[in-house]
Amino acid sequence: MQRNATTRYPILLVHGLFGFDRIGRFELFHDVKQALRDADCQVFVPQLSAVHDNEVRGQQLLNQIERVLEGTGASKVNLIGHSQGALTCRYAAALEPLKVASVTSVSGPNHGSELADSLRKALVPGRLPEHVAEELATHFAQWISLLSGRPALPQNAVAALNALTTESVGQFNQKYPQGLPSVWGGQGAEQVNGVHYYSWSGTLQADLITNLRPLDPVHGVCRALSSHFVIDEGQNDGFVGRYSSHLGTVIRSDYPFNHLDSLRRSAGLSSVIPDAIDLYTEHALRLQAAGL
């Protein structure tokens, strides 16, 4: 029997880098959105640039929040951001805390990504490799926007990459510190300016059974990218370090998930990997219990 997890305020699912709401019949948050709607939650997926910096995307999110509030009559929203979407949500909550009931970071680089650091070092500003990478990534993002029916949204791949490095996120955090832990690997304040903060994330597991996923190329890519981590060596999901993901109340930061597992069903691996989609329904119940 489906649990009733109706939240007081609507939920907005905020995508990260190269994300989108819908392309044709494919929705990035399909499983998550369906599970939450089955649990009687009111759910929306805002339209944001696929690649841009945190503040540009944050302003876009604020505009979307206004539309949701006007359309639903609600006074606030609950924000759940995946990956860079977590930074986008944090920006919106910092600027308009009276319109945000909660921010939940899912696999969010809240202290930056060592992978972004490695890419930034490899792509020297002004050199040909950076120019080629920028053109390819930006055109890919424009293609995503076109297919999703949002061709007018601005795209800037270099701005997105710069916004995810540990240095840039450090600067971002100085301006918007709400919910951040005071010590590395710790928990942050549960509530700041009336906004509740939560986070969860995963790590690539060392045991053979969990890693035996030959038909999942995304998992292989994440394992290959994990070699770029030093601070969170052996404690990352391929894109984001475990302790970099901490924000507010840390529900758990070592689920056996790679970076994209936290958005999808476990594809027959449920005996090994907890179903990530159930975490969203559980979280809706958590928000419900908190009166959010």
Side-chain angles (χ1 to χ4, degrees), residues 142-193:
Q142 290 170 342
W143 178 71
I144 289 175
S145 295
L146 181 63
L147 291 180
S148 63
R150 319 295 178 203
L153 290 173
Q155 310 294 340
N156 190 321
V158 169
L161 174 60
N162 291 339
L164 294 172
T165 63
T166 54
E167 179 181 1
S168 291
V169 176
Q171 295 168 357
F172 178 87
N173 288 345
Q174 289 178 5
K175 293 190 285 186
Y176 317 109
Q178 293 85 349
L180 290 172
S182 59
V183 296
W184 182 252
Q187 302 220 13
E190 178 182 356
Q191 188 176 162
V192 182
N193 296 332

Side-chain angles (χ1 to χ4, degrees), residues 69-208:
L69 296 182
E70 290 174 4
T72 63
S75 59
K76 297 183 179 183
V77 295
N78 291 300
L79 301 176
I80 301 179
H82 178 263
S83 193
Q84 189 188 9
L87 302 175
T88 307
C89 294
R90 287 176 50 201
Y91 174 88
L95 266 64
E96 295 285 357
L98 296 181
K99 298 177 181 178
V100 179
S102 70
V103 168
T104 302
S105 166
V106 179
S107 305
N110 292 303
H111 293 273
S113 169
E114 291 183 75
L115 175 61
D117 291 346
S118 293
L119 289 173
R120 181 66 278 175
K121 290 176 182 177
L123 300 173
V124 179
R127 298 284 182 87
L128 181 61
E130 184 203 45
H131 179 69
V132 172
E134 177 185 11
E135 287 293 311
L136 290 174
T138 299
H139 284 312
F140 179 64
Q142 290 170 342
W143 178 71
I144 289 175
S145 295
L146 181 63
L147 291 180
S148 63
R150 319 295 178 203
L153 290 173
Q155 310 294 340
N156 190 321
V158 169
L161 174 60
N162 291 339
L164 294 172
T165 63
T166 54
E167 179 181 1
S168 291
V169 176
Q171 295 168 357
F172 178 87
N173 288 345
Q174 289 178 5
K175 293 190 285 186
Y176 317 109
Q178 293 85 349
L180 290 172
S182 59
V183 296
W184 182 252
Q187 302 220 13
E190 178 182 356
Q191 188 176 162
V192 182
N193 296 332
V195 181
H196 293 248
Y197 288 85
Y198 305 90
S199 63
W200 76 77
S201 59
T203 60
L204 295 166
Q205 305 296 296
D207 64 280
L208 179 61

